[in-house]
Amino acid sequence: MFDPRDPYERYYWHYESRRPLSVAQIVALQSVDAETAALVWLLLENGVSLTVAGPTDPQPGVGKTTTLNALLQFLPEGTALAYMSGMYENFSFTRLPDIDPATTYALCNEVSDHLPIYMWGRIARRYLQLPAQGYHVATSVHADTIDDVMYMYQHDLRLRPEDVRRLGLIINIGLVGRAYPARRRWFSTHFVQPYADPDRPDAIVPVPLSLWNSFDDTFEHADALLLADLAGWIGMKPQDFQSALQRRIACMQEISQQGGVDMEDMFEAISDLHEKEA
């Protein structure tokens, strides 16, 4: 059975990429900008769940695993990772006497029906319902757009609207152009509005936080009003949220210069920022 302590096993089970990158290096490669990366950083620090979506055409090298691994560095301090075992998962970790759902992220390499080491059907549905028990989830999927992610979660996996509203961040990435090496971009970053609209109780609203503009290869960001709503959704005051976001943007701009710092130095930069804030 899968042993996440073994680096070879993590690679075999598609939990690690051939060439790990930090988020700073991903920004340096222009896959995403510092502002979007900093916003995702702040949200993950506050315990939101995460889905990284890539093209339905399962071309290699898109970067779902690399992106997911890089973003794990932003999880709250003291977070425990529970690695899922694909279709063999029995969720026994939820029965551990000392498990704390509030500080536990259930990490799934992929939600799809491509391989038994991934999750699908009732196993995937149970996994994606873990946030209802207080856990957080982080996974990847094959989906070209945010609408495709929503269709998969609602129709293919038959999640209830309240379950989908707990899934937090959804990042759609992909390849652009035909040049080699391939250029990767974060096409969109959405946050699923966590509360139901009384007038439309079954509606699910993915709110766009960042959208890639293919015309000039830039990123369009959410306005101040939407960010104020976002702050409330994660339990922060808008002023505190904006201050924390600006500190992370400045940090990300600095550490993504000249190719960007690696995973180890990225960890140090995150720790240094936390110490200054404390």
Side-chain angles (χ1 to χ4, degrees):
M1 192 50 70
F2 172 49
D3 183 357
R5 297 167 297 182
D6 186 334
Y8 173 78
E9 292 253 341
R10 291 199 303 272
Y11 177 75
Y12 177 81
W13 281 72
H14 299 181
Y15 274 107
E16 287 193 1
S17 55
R18 214 178 273 272
R19 182 193 170 204
L21 296 173
S22 70
V23 174
Q25 290 171 318
I26 292 172
V27 171
L29 290 168
Q30 301 179 25
S31 297
V32 68
D33 64 346
E35 290 79 6
T36 302
L39 180 56
V40 170
W41 175 356
L42 181 56
L43 292 174
L44 288 174
E45 275 187 344
N46 281 273
V48 305
S49 289
L50 171 67
T51 299
V52 176
T56 50
D57 176 15
Q59 51 189 317
V62 171
K64 296 196 308 299
T65 301
T66 299
T67 301
L68 184 60
N69 279 337
L71 292 174
L72 293 180
Q73 287 196 298
F74 294 148
L75 299 187
E77 294 182 32
T79 294
L81 287 180
Y83 286 80
M84 302 296 96
S85 300
M87 295 302 291
Y88 311 105
E89 182 59 47
N90 60 11
F91 301 96
S92 61
F93 71 95
T94 63
R95 298 187 290 275
L96 294 173
D98 57 348
I99 192 76
D100 181 3
T103 60
T104 303
Y105 266 77
L107 181 60
C108 172
N109 46 15
E110 188 170 300
V111 172
S112 78
D113 60 355
H114 293 164
L115 294 170
I117 62 172
Y118 300 150
M119 285 181 156
W120 193 245
R122 63 179 181 81
I123 299 294
R125 186 162 52 254
R126 182 176 176 185
Y127 166 72
L128 293 165
Q129 290 172 335
L130 286 173
Q133 303 174 42
Y135 294 93
H136 316 274
V137 297
T139 188
S140 68
V141 301
H142 283 290
D144 295 308
T145 67
I146 182 65
D147 290 339
D148 294 332
V149 177
M150 292 294 100
Y151 187 90
M152 174 189 295
Y153 282 163
Q154 289 184 264
H155 299 281
D156 294 338
L157 294 173
R158 304 196 305 278
L159 290 175
R160 300 169 301 176
E162 56 266 36
D163 292 322
V164 180
R165 292 192 196 103
R166 296 187 184 101
L167 296 181
L169 272 168
I170 299 175
I171 300 172
N172 279 86
I173 68 174
L175 303 178
V176 297
R178 299 182 179 180
Y180 182 84
R183 292 184 300 149
R184 297 166 180 82
R185 293 292 183 271
W186 290 20
F187 293 147
S188 67
T189 301
H190 287 80
F191 188 83
V192 184
Q193 186 171 308
Y195 302 112
D197 182 343
D199 297 328
R200 299 185 302 156
D202 291 333
I204 298 171
V205 183
V207 178
L209 305 181
S210 174
L211 300 173
W212 178 64
N213 187 331
S214 61
F215 179 74
D216 58 2
D217 197 14
T218 59
F219 293 87
E220 302 171 0
H221 305 107
D223 60 23
L225 185 60
L226 197 154
L227 291 180
D229 288 339
L230 186 60
W233 292 338
I234 65 169
M236 290 184 72
K237 296 179 180 179
Q239 185 175 356
D240 294 340
F241 182 93
Q242 278 290 351
S243 298
L245 177 59
Q246 292 306 314
R247 287 191 294 271
R248 280 152 185 78
I249 290 174
C251 178
M252 188 62 65
Q253 289 172 335
E254 178 182 351
I255 63 179
S256 61
Q257 298 299 312
Q258 299 178 350
V261 302
D262 61 16
M263 296 282 275
E264 183 174 349
D265 288 338
M266 182 86 211
F267 176 81
E268 293 297 328
I270 294 170
S271 298
D272 289 345
L273 181 63
H274 289 168
E275 289 180 8
K276 291 176 182 176
E277 290 181 327

